[in-house]
Amino acid sequence: MADGKGDAAVSGAPAGAGSGAGARSRRPASPALGPPGLWSRLWQLETELREQEVSEGSSRVYCRSFCQTLLQYAGNRNTSEHMACLLEVYRLSIQSFASARPYLTTECEDVLLVLGRLVLSCFELLLSVPETELPCDVWVPFNQSIQDSHDALLEFGNNNLQVLVDITKEGVWKNPVLLKILSQQPVEPEEANKFIAREGPSFLQMRIKHLLKSNCITQATSLSKLCAESKEISNVSSFRQAYITCLCSMLPNEDAIKEIAKLDCKEVLDIICNLESEGQDHTAFILCTTYLTQQLQTASVCYSWELTLFWSKLQRRIDPSLDIFLERCRQFGVIAKTQQHLFCLIRVVQTERWRIRKVV
């Protein structure tokens, strides 16, 4: 059943509760763990929702209030300092949403959107959770609650929690196929495709971002490269960018330079634009400088002006010194093998000198 307008909504029984009026009106006991007031607020939202007809409007109001509550209790907490507390926030929130699901309709697009975001946020937290450091009175109830909520949501055709069920059972970083990928061991294409299809692009992107943030460059490179080459993912552009970002982090590694040199020039320009728009100027500059250097050395003139212009803009942004800029242009000029590249360098030098004179 995909909507709250069916029998489950009529019966009024929330996830994990018995049927009948008593089950509908009985307020669950507040958990011992978790931020004070969270469970009461979530129960209040669910109670207000139950008292209304299942509609697009009531579902929208609930989803917005639910998000505001989650942001209030989870948004200002430092992950490393409040790991157990944050885990409890997500456990209670997922449990509450699953309990409220019979009274929500997917005619309101916020319902599936909030559920998806809730799972993604919880998954992101779990990537950082050192399981051995969590007490059993936190981890065991969390696992059981996720399974119970998953079972309840399946009645409405919502399979969103499956990935959380899987990783809490086997361990966030303990999947055998994932361990092979991260350790650069041979992986059968069939088992790699099965793993990628199970997790999906959004969760795989989170894994890669976490690995990069943790400075696990080799592991991030292996996973992003596998995803970028996978036929299980329809749009691999984000994984291509992640892979190239990993290569930039490995420079001046010779193999990384060779891999970057093989890239299509148009793709490089697109990734430079994306990195710049995301505020990753340093990575964009490294990629642009490396690729432009290869062009100068091999006499390739594909998008030579665009690359030179991007490089000059990023160079001046990272280091405003005109003297350093001119010296870098001179160094490029020494290795340039075509007149076109020399003209591009002369043009950006003239542009910068004119711009500075105008400011003065």
Side-chain angles (χ1 to χ4, degrees):
M1 186 186 308
D3 208 334
K5 290 186 174 181
D7 296 336
V10 175
S11 69
S19 59
R24 293 186 58 173
S25 60
R26 190 182 305 115
R27 173 176 174 170
S30 297
L33 299 172
L38 172 61
W39 188 241
S40 297
R41 176 56 181 158
L42 291 172
W43 176 254
Q44 180 186 356
L45 294 178
E46 184 181 337
T47 301
E48 292 171 357
L49 178 66
R50 292 185 187 190
E51 293 172 353
Q52 304 176 63
E53 291 291 329
V54 176
S55 68
E56 185 178 349
S58 63
S59 297
R60 183 177 297 108
V61 170
Y62 172 83
C63 287
R64 290 179 179 176
S65 299
F66 180 90
C67 289
Q68 290 172 356
T69 301
L70 183 59
L71 184 63
Q72 175 185 348
Y73 283 92
N76 297 324
R77 296 180 183 273
N78 182 281
T79 303
S80 59
E81 296 178 3
H82 302 91
M83 190 73 72
C85 188
L86 273 172
L87 204 62
E88 186 68 3
V89 168
Y90 281 107
R91 183 186 77 82
L92 296 176
S93 299
I94 291 171
Q95 181 180 323
S96 177
F97 196 93
S99 180
R101 181 62 184 90
Y103 312 97
L104 298 168
T105 173
T106 51
E107 290 178 3
C108 172
E109 61 182 14
D110 291 349
V111 172
L112 296 183
L113 180 63
V114 169
L115 178 57
R117 295 290 185 184
L118 180 61
V119 174
L120 277 171
S121 297
C122 185
F123 184 89
E124 185 177 20
L125 175 64
L126 287 172
L127 293 178
S128 305
V129 172
E131 298 172 33
T132 54
E133 296 180 15
L134 283 175
C136 289
D137 59 348
V138 173
W139 193 241
V140 173
F142 179 84
N143 290 350
Q144 186 60 53
S145 184
I146 292 298
Q147 181 64 64
D148 292 343
S149 298
H150 175 59
D151 294 340
L153 288 170
L154 278 178
E155 296 181 14
F156 298 89
N158 302 138
N159 193 38
N160 304 63
L161 291 184
Q162 183 64 59
V163 67
L164 296 184
V165 171
D166 291 339
I167 65 171
T168 52
K169 282 183 177 179
E170 66 189 10
V172 181
W173 294 99
K174 295 179 181 178
N175 177 276
V177 179
L178 177 62
L179 289 174
K180 287 183 183 180
I181 296 169
L182 298 183
S183 59
Q184 298 179 299
Q185 297 178 32
V187 181
E188 292 294 329
E190 185 178 347
E191 61 179 0
N193 289 335
K194 185 177 180 181
F195 169 75
I196 290 172
R198 189 193 79 166
E199 289 233 331
S202 298
F203 298 106
L204 289 167
Q205 286 172 6
M206 280 194 169
R207 285 193 185 276
I208 294 167
K209 288 179 180 177
H210 178 81
L211 290 169
L212 285 170
K213 186 178 178 181
S214 304
N215 203 32
C216 300
I217 306 301
T218 303
Q219 293 86 342
T221 304
S222 299
L223 184 56
S224 59
K225 186 174 189 292
L226 185 73
C227 293
E229 296 172 349
S230 174
K231 295 181 180 179
E232 295 293 330
I233 301 174
S234 57
N235 185 358
V236 298
S237 58
S238 61
F239 294 103
R240 290 284 299 167
Q241 179 172 321
Y243 174 58
I244 294 168
T245 298
C246 291
L247 293 177
C248 291
S249 300
M250 296 167 65
L251 294 172
N253 179 282
E254 193 65 31
D255 291 334
I257 293 174
K258 290 179 180 178
E259 284 295 308
I260 290 175
K262 295 177 186 176
L263 299 173
D264 175 74
C265 190
K266 180 62 167 61
E267 181 182 25
V268 170
L269 285 172
D270 289 340
I271 291 175
I272 290 170
C273 288
N274 290 339
L275 290 170
E276 187 183 21
S277 67
E278 294 168 7
Q280 300 185 55
D281 288 352
H282 185 68
T283 304
F285 175 68
I286 291 173
L287 175 59
C288 190
T289 302
T290 304
Y291 198 79
L292 180 57
T293 301
Q294 294 298 305
Q295 270 210 347
L296 294 170
Q297 292 174 335
T298 58
S300 171
V301 294
C302 177
Y303 291 100
S304 57
W305 168 242
E306 289 83 356
L307 276 169
T308 307
L309 185 61
F310 264 121
W311 171 82
S312 66
K313 181 173 66 171
L314 290 166
Q315 171 65 49
R316 295 285 284 151
R317 187 181 299 165
I318 290 172
D319 189 339
S321 170
L322 179 61
D323 290 338
I324 291 178
F325 174 76
L326 294 176
E327 175 58 22
R328 294 282 170 81
C329 288
R330 187 194 67 78
Q331 292 170 358
F332 275 152
V334 169
I335 64 173
K337 297 184 183 301
T338 69
Q339 287 185 344
Q340 183 168 330
H341 279 126
L342 288 172
F343 286 143
C344 291
L345 291 168
I346 291 170
R347 188 174 172 186
V348 294
V349 167
Q350 289 175 336
T351 300
E352 287 303 316
R353 281 182 165 170
W354 176 84
R355 187 181 65 81
I356 289 176
R357 280 202 301 268
K358 185 177 180 182
V359 172
V360 173

